[in-house]
Tab-separated table of all heavy atoms in Angstrom:
chain	number	residue	atom	x	y	z
A	241	TRP	N	86.980	98.905	99.459
A	241	TRP	CA	86.503	97.520	99.606
A	241	TRP	C	87.501	96.445	99.247
A	241	TRP	O	87.532	95.364	99.902
A	241	TRP	CB	85.256	97.344	98.686
A	241	TRP	CG	83.978	97.885	99.280
A	241	TRP	CD1	83.407	99.086	99.036
A	241	TRP	CD2	83.100	97.252	100.241
A	241	TRP	NE1	82.261	99.258	99.797
A	241	TRP	CE2	82.095	98.151	100.550
A	241	TRP	CE3	83.212	96.003	100.887
A	241	TRP	CZ2	81.095	97.830	101.449
A	241	TRP	CZ3	82.236	95.704	101.768
A	241	TRP	CH2	81.111	96.574	102.068
A	242	ILE	N	88.409	96.707	98.252
A	242	ILE	CA	89.243	95.601	97.787
A	242	ILE	C	90.679	95.667	98.342
A	242	ILE	O	91.417	94.648	98.203
A	242	ILE	CB	89.284	95.556	96.249
A	242	ILE	CG1	89.945	96.878	95.670
A	242	ILE	CG2	87.906	95.398	95.652
A	242	ILE	CD1	90.054	96.829	94.173
A	243	SER	N	91.057	96.743	98.933
A	243	SER	CA	92.445	96.898	99.447
A	243	SER	C	92.551	96.529	100.845
A	243	SER	O	91.875	97.109	101.752
A	243	SER	CB	92.951	98.357	99.218
A	243	SER	OG	94.132	98.527	99.904
A	244	PRO	N	93.391	95.520	101.246
A	244	PRO	CA	93.576	95.145	102.680
A	244	PRO	C	94.085	96.403	103.473
A	244	PRO	O	93.768	96.552	104.637
A	244	PRO	CB	94.636	94.049	102.661
A	244	PRO	CG	94.504	93.436	101.240
A	244	PRO	CD	94.139	94.603	100.420
A	245	LEU	N	94.957	97.188	102.866
A	245	LEU	CA	95.507	98.359	103.547
A	245	LEU	C	94.448	99.361	103.879
A	245	LEU	O	94.410	99.935	104.962
A	245	LEU	CB	96.614	99.019	102.724
A	245	LEU	CG	97.319	100.207	103.283
A	245	LEU	CD1	98.005	99.797	104.634
A	245	LEU	CD2	98.387	100.765	102.375
A	246	ASN	N	93.458	99.554	102.954
A	246	ASN	CA	92.376	100.480	103.224
A	246	ASN	C	91.413	99.946	104.329
A	246	ASN	O	90.796	100.728	105.035
A	246	ASN	CB	91.673	100.854	101.978
A	246	ASN	CG	92.415	101.827	101.090
A	246	ASN	OD1	93.195	102.613	101.588
A	246	ASN	ND2	92.208	101.727	99.771
A	247	HIS	N	91.341	98.623	104.412
A	247	HIS	CA	90.533	97.985	105.499
A	247	HIS	C	91.187	98.319	106.837
A	247	HIS	O	90.500	98.366	107.849
A	247	HIS	CB	90.440	96.523	105.304
A	247	HIS	CG	89.291	96.095	104.405
A	247	HIS	ND1	87.993	96.145	104.750
A	247	HIS	CD2	89.360	95.631	103.081
A	247	HIS	CE1	87.191	95.722	103.729
A	247	HIS	NE2	88.073	95.428	102.758
A	248	ALA	N	92.540	98.516	106.843
A	248	ALA	CA	93.272	98.861	108.063
A	248	ALA	C	93.341	100.337	108.357
A	248	ALA	O	93.857	100.765	109.368
A	248	ALA	CB	94.658	98.278	107.980
A	249	THR	N	92.691	101.200	107.477
A	249	THR	CA	92.736	102.615	107.603
A	249	THR	C	91.431	103.113	108.157
A	249	THR	O	90.350	102.891	107.566
A	249	THR	CB	93.048	103.257	106.271
A	249	THR	OG1	94.232	102.727	105.749
A	249	THR	CG2	93.186	104.696	106.407
A	250	TYR	N	91.445	103.729	109.314
A	250	TYR	CA	90.245	104.049	109.990
A	250	TYR	C	89.268	104.925	109.251
A	250	TYR	O	88.063	104.615	109.154
A	250	TYR	CB	90.553	104.805	111.358
A	250	TYR	CG	89.332	105.125	112.174
A	250	TYR	CD1	88.602	104.131	112.802
A	250	TYR	CD2	88.968	106.455	112.431
A	250	TYR	CE1	87.533	104.361	113.569
A	250	TYR	CE2	87.898	106.748	113.189
A	250	TYR	CZ	87.178	105.708	113.753
A	250	TYR	OH	86.068	106.041	114.520
A	251	TYR	N	89.743	106.054	108.671
A	251	TYR	CA	88.839	106.939	107.980
A	251	TYR	C	88.283	106.384	106.657
A	251	TYR	O	87.322	106.981	106.079
A	251	TYR	CB	89.526	108.320	107.729
A	251	TYR	CG	90.584	108.313	106.624
A	251	TYR	CD1	90.248	108.478	105.252
A	251	TYR	CD2	91.894	108.202	106.951
A	251	TYR	CE1	91.195	108.455	104.335
A	251	TYR	CE2	92.887	108.231	105.973
A	251	TYR	CZ	92.500	108.334	104.656
A	251	TYR	OH	93.463	108.352	103.689
A	252	MET	N	88.814	105.304	106.220
A	252	MET	CA	88.290	104.618	104.954
A	252	MET	C	87.128	103.659	105.312
A	252	MET	O	87.031	102.561	104.743
A	252	MET	CB	89.410	103.943	104.277
A	252	MET	CG	90.449	104.822	103.625
A	252	MET	SD	89.799	105.772	102.310
A	252	MET	CE	89.477	104.467	101.080
A	253	HIS	N	86.293	104.073	106.233
A	253	HIS	CA	85.155	103.295	106.604
A	253	HIS	C	83.820	104.047	106.628
A	253	HIS	O	83.827	105.278	106.598
A	253	HIS	CB	85.330	102.650	108.008
A	253	HIS	CG	86.355	101.582	108.095
A	253	HIS	ND1	87.716	101.841	108.195
A	253	HIS	CD2	86.247	100.236	107.892
A	253	HIS	CE1	88.410	100.680	108.134
A	253	HIS	NE2	87.529	99.719	108.007
A	254	ASN	N	82.769	103.274	106.641
A	254	ASN	CA	81.409	103.945	106.584
A	254	ASN	C	81.082	104.536	107.932
A	254	ASN	O	81.024	103.807	108.893
A	254	ASN	CB	80.378	102.872	106.141
A	254	ASN	CG	79.042	103.487	105.831
A	254	ASN	OD1	78.588	104.393	106.475
A	254	ASN	ND2	78.357	102.878	104.880
A	255	PHE	N	80.820	105.845	107.963
A	255	PHE	CA	80.403	106.490	109.165
A	255	PHE	C	78.954	106.909	109.056
A	255	PHE	O	78.479	107.851	109.719
A	255	PHE	CB	81.290	107.706	109.427
A	255	PHE	CG	82.645	107.332	109.905
A	255	PHE	CD1	83.712	107.116	108.941
A	255	PHE	CD2	82.950	107.225	111.228
A	255	PHE	CE1	84.950	106.771	109.406
A	255	PHE	CE2	84.218	106.842	111.675
A	255	PHE	CZ	85.204	106.667	110.767
A	256	GLY	N	78.189	106.280	108.174
A	256	GLY	CA	76.715	106.509	108.136
A	256	GLY	C	76.243	107.184	106.899
A	256	GLY	O	75.058	107.252	106.635
A	257	TYR	N	77.208	107.742	106.056
A	257	TYR	CA	76.713	108.454	104.896
A	257	TYR	C	77.518	108.214	103.635
A	257	TYR	O	77.462	109.000	102.732
A	257	TYR	CB	76.709	109.989	105.198
A	257	TYR	CG	78.036	110.562	105.642
A	257	TYR	CD1	79.021	110.867	104.760
A	257	TYR	CD2	78.293	110.732	106.996
A	257	TYR	CE1	80.242	111.407	105.138
A	257	TYR	CE2	79.506	111.244	107.387
A	257	TYR	CZ	80.520	111.572	106.507
A	257	TYR	OH	81.671	112.089	106.909
A	258	ASP	N	78.301	107.138	103.612
A	258	ASP	CA	78.928	106.758	102.391
A	258	ASP	C	78.861	105.256	102.151
A	258	ASP	O	78.238	104.567	102.986
A	258	ASP	CB	80.441	107.244	102.354
A	258	ASP	CG	81.165	106.818	103.646
A	258	ASP	OD1	80.825	105.736	104.188
A	258	ASP	OD2	82.039	107.561	104.103
Side-chain angles (χ1 to χ4, degrees):
W241 279 97
I242 66 177
S243 170
L245 183 60
N246 284 332
H247 277 286
T249 305
Y250 182 68
Y251 71 85
M252 291 293 292
H253 287 87
N254 189 324
F255 287 88
Y257 55 84
D258 51 32

